[in-house]
Amino acid sequence: MFEQRTLIYSYIQRYLALFVGLGQRLRRTPLHAWPTLEFAVREATALYVVTFLISASLGVIRQILLNARFGLGPEAAAYYAAFRLPETVAMLVAGGALTNALIPVLLRVANRDNEQSALRLVNATLTMMLAFIAPLALVAALVAPLFVRTLLAPGFDAPTQALTVSLSRLMLMEVLLVVAEAALAAILISRNQVLLPALAIAARNVTLIGGVLLAILIPEVGIYGPTIGALIDALIQLGLLVPGLRQRGYRPAVVWEPNNIDVHTVGRLMVPNALGAVSNYAGNIVDTAIASLTGIAAAIGALFNAWLLIGLPTRLLGVAVGQAALPHLALLGIRNDLAGFRRLILRTLVTASLLALLAAALLIALGRPLLMLLFQRGAFDAAAVALTYQVLVIYALGLPSYVATEVATRALVARYDTLTAMLANMLQLVIRIMLAMLLLERFGVAAVPMAHVLSAFGETVILLVVLWYKVRDPLRTP
């Protein structure tokens, strides 16, 4: 036990020194060179950690204001539920799915041909994506009433369902911006130029907070304030990438090349990745639907607030580490440097998992006072804190699994394998639904996080076993 604590402290000290070194490097670099500054894995991880912390801090401020203004009432339930439909559509073609699928292919095309060919690939891919997503978003808007009534929130009353539909349709407008950002961010991330994509992460919630403040100052605005704020947030995130893209020589253009083999490779990698992401978000929809069946309106908000706190260490230790390592892993894979690949992925998994254990222990020990400090004010009372903490403790038990899954999924992408993650995630979802329904009558809302933790552990085991076999043989690129 003493050795484990010493190892964890050693990792923490190492990363603190890395943050200091990163700051010194930025101070020595002229401001105009920042957008295309390249970072090693640890530097990129540190940068992602800082920006995720900024984003999370803004997210906490957002949530404090949301809770104070709307509590866990019907408007809040509609708002949280409404996020699920556009999130699912966005993840189908964008988010991590598109970015992660593009990165290894961009590196391969740049090494095989040249940089201009890689940039043309981005335009060709983005043209195909936007041609697909626009009608998909329209269809999603049309079926929103049926989707909300039958799948997303069958336990809501009619007015709350109607509000959920209205908010979902507004949020779908954000999807086109998310698609463009996902493709363009890959240009910079593939070359380890992660500063601007990281800053885009940090900018999340800025105008959303402004929308909540507007709803507080003008009550008639209601929950539409933060909804409109979220749309403006997406526009700002896209705009932040522009300086780096210009320095890289990127120019947007409509490139229709449906027979381009590299576009096909991106699609082949993206589709399982996207379906896995949709499966992941479908789990959130399932959680919302099952929680609504408890008849406790506060259950939806409790799950959302608990996952907000769990999401921070997941992003800091899983997404940040995995995303920072992905371009380096992809390059090692292209070179068939299996020994280097194994060393890097083992180091990342061990580091992230140990820190995830520490984070889980801290959340369990300090979760209740943290919830009271952050959220207990206005309409968010002591009963809301108690319910949220109950859910938080259970979610925290699965934190090492969530983190390891994020890292392992990106390592498999670097090996041109996105099918394994999709199948593992879908199996996890099936098990999660079955467990939640079995446990619901006995444990109530606690059944939702219990099913999540148990199914997530199984998913992690599958991914790690497959990854172990994937790093034994030379890569055969598509």
Side-chain angles (χ1 to χ4, degrees), residues 147-429:
F147 178 75
V148 170
R149 185 172 61 253
T150 59
L151 293 176
L152 181 60
F156 285 1
D157 58 30
T160 307
Q161 285 184 347
L163 179 59
T164 303
V165 170
S166 178
L167 296 178
S168 294
R169 286 172 168 167
L170 278 173
M171 292 176 185
L172 280 168
M173 297 171 60
E174 183 183 353
V175 173
L176 294 177
L177 298 173
V178 172
V179 172
E181 184 198 354
L184 299 180
I187 296 175
L188 300 175
I189 295 172
S190 66
R191 292 298 184 179
N192 305 305
Q193 297 165 349
V194 301
L195 180 60
L196 294 184
L199 288 178
I201 293 169
R204 290 173 186 168
N205 296 309
V206 172
T207 56
L208 196 155
I209 290 172
V212 182
L213 290 173
L214 183 63
I216 292 173
L217 295 173
I218 307 175
E220 292 79 10
V221 171
I223 201 65
Y224 288 96
T227 304
I228 298 299
L231 298 179
I232 301 174
D233 268 338
L235 186 60
I236 291 174
Q237 289 175 259
L238 181 59
L240 282 170
L241 301 179
V242 171
L245 296 173
R246 284 182 175 176
Q247 290 190 31
R248 285 287 303 274
Y250 172 76
R251 295 293 180 270
V254 175
V255 178
W256 183 254
E257 295 180 346
N259 296 321
N260 186 319
I261 189 171
D262 294 314
V263 173
H264 290 177
T265 301
V266 173
R268 188 186 68 78
L269 291 176
M270 191 193 73
V271 169
N273 206 347
L275 291 176
V278 170
S279 175
N280 191 38
Y281 276 91
N284 293 331
I285 293 171
V286 167
D287 290 350
T288 301
I290 293 175
S292 75
L293 295 177
T294 64
I296 304 172
I300 307 294
L303 291 171
F304 188 93
N305 281 279
W307 191 251
L308 176 71
L309 296 183
I310 292 295
L312 175 59
T314 301
R315 290 193 298 274
L316 293 180
L317 305 175
V319 178
V321 173
Q323 202 65 34
L326 175 56
H328 297 270
L329 289 169
L331 195 56
L332 289 170
I334 290 171
R335 295 170 178 169
N336 276 317
D337 183 358
L338 296 183
F341 193 105
R342 286 192 294 267
R343 284 194 301 270
L344 180 54
I345 192 59
L346 182 61
R347 186 167 65 245
T348 10
L349 279 170
V350 169
T351 301
S353 298
L354 284 173
L355 292 176
L357 284 171
L358 176 62
L362 289 174
L363 281 173
I364 293 171
L366 304 175
R368 186 185 295 274
L370 183 61
L371 288 168
M372 293 172 64
L373 174 66
L374 295 177
F375 301 143
Q376 189 172 341
R377 56 182 55 81
F380 201 93
D381 56 17
V385 168
L387 181 59
T388 304
Y389 178 67
Q390 177 190 3
V391 173
L392 174 67
V393 168
I394 302 171
Y395 272 137
L397 297 175
L399 189 55
S401 289
Y402 313 148
V403 167
T405 293
E406 294 289 349
V407 175
T409 297
R410 285 161 177 80
L412 286 169
V413 170
R415 301 296 290 168
Y416 284 80
D417 177 12
T418 54
L419 184 61
T420 298
M422 180 198 76
L423 294 176
N425 199 280
M426 288 183 170
L427 178 61
Q428 178 265 145
L429 178 59

Side-chain angles (χ1 to χ4, degrees), residues 131-146:
F132 174 70
I133 188 59
L136 182 63
L138 178 60
V139 170
L142 292 175
V143 303
L146 179 63

Side-chain angles (χ1 to χ4, degrees), residues 432-472:
R432 183 167 158 186
I433 294 171
M434 294 172 59
L435 287 173
M437 295 305 296
L438 285 172
L439 299 172
L440 182 63
E441 184 176 353
R442 180 175 180 181
F443 295 100
V445 67
V448 173
M450 290 170 67
H452 192 146
V453 169
L454 293 171
S455 59
F457 178 76
E459 179 185 13
T460 304
V461 170
I462 292 171
L463 292 175
L464 292 179
V465 169
V466 173
L467 179 61
W468 172 256
Y469 283 98
K470 287 284 183 179
V471 297
R472 297 172 61 185

